[in-house]
């Protein structure tokens, strides 16, 4: 917008990059924990359960946040962010506490022998893995469309309130 300071644009871009980085790091850590803690037979079930819980979280969060924020209020939005961040940190801490086993300090790290190309070819031959990747790609696309396009510009384009546009996540 006109009159927007370059500093705010850079801070906005940096904030979005940090969100993406945080999501990626937490996802990698969660997947690594699943790989370490589950048997080969349980890994698929565990990953599926993680995605189901994530989707249920989106569905539950949508009406809760639309009730907490019926119209835009900067102070109330900031309070919601702070409380949500604290609760997320605490739930994560409680959830993973004691999950990581102590490692023998004399243990020698072995470099993985699998090559990325071999793993990719193996996964691409598996129809279930292909369906999972398609599902995740579509989920990410629709999440992006909802969260960053429809909710953000829903008021300007469709003349809808923030409370109304946040309920779209419930239907998505």
């Amino acid at each position: 917008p006109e009159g927007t300071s370059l500093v705010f644009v850079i801070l906005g871009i940096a904030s979005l990059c940090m969100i993406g980085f945080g999501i990626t790091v937490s996802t990698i850590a969660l997947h690594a924990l699943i790989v370490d803690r589950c048997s080969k037979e349980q890994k698929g079930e565990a990953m599926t359960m993680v995605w189901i819980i994530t989707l249920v979280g989106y569905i539950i969060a949508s009406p809760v946040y639309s009730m907490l924020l019926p119209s835009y209020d900067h102070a109330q939005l900031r309070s919601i962010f702070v409380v949500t961040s604290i609760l997320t940190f605490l739930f994560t801490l409680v959830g993973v506490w004691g999950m990581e086993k102590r490692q023998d300090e004399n243990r020698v790290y072995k470099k993985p022998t699998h090559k990325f190309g071999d793993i990719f070819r193996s996964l691409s031959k598996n129809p279930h893995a292909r369906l999972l990747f398609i599902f995740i790609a579509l989920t990410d696309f629709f999440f992006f469309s909802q969260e960053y396009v429809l909710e953000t510009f829903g008021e300007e384009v469709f003349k809808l309130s923030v409370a109304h546009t946040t309920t779209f996540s419930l239907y998505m």
Side-chain angles (χ1 to χ4, degrees), residues 18 24 38 55 65 79 97-98 104 116 122-123 125 150:
M18 287 185 339
T24 302
C38 295
L55 292 174
Y65 285 126
S79 299
W97 194 265
D104 181 14
F116 175 77
S122 173
L123 286 174
K125 291 177 186 174
L150 188 57

Side-chain angles (χ1 to χ4, degrees), residues 30-93:
L30 176 63
H31 292 175
L33 188 61
I34 289 171
V35 167
D36 286 347
R37 301 294 294 176
C38 295
S39 68
K40 188 175 182 178
E41 295 78 26
Q42 295 174 323
K43 287 177 189 173
E45 294 172 11
M47 294 297 283
T48 302
M49 187 57 64
V50 166
W51 277 99
I52 289 171
I53 291 170
T54 301
L55 292 174
V56 169
Y58 289 149
I59 292 169
I60 292 171
S62 176
V64 168
Y65 285 126
S66 66
M67 286 186 299
L68 292 173
L69 195 63
S71 61
Y72 180 76
D73 178 11
H74 185 73
Q76 190 176 8
L77 182 62
R78 181 179 289 173
S79 299
I80 290 171
F81 281 157
V82 168
V83 170
T84 301
S85 298
I86 291 170
L87 288 175
T88 301
F89 177 77
L90 291 175
F91 284 145
T92 302
L93 191 62

Side-chain angles (χ1 to χ4, degrees), residues 102-118:
R102 286 238 179 244
Q103 298 292 328
D104 181 14
E105 292 181 18
N106 298 323
R107 185 174 155 190
V108 178
Y109 172 75
K110 293 183 205 174
K111 188 174 182 179
T113 56
H114 302 296
K115 303 270 190 254
F116 175 77
D118 296 336

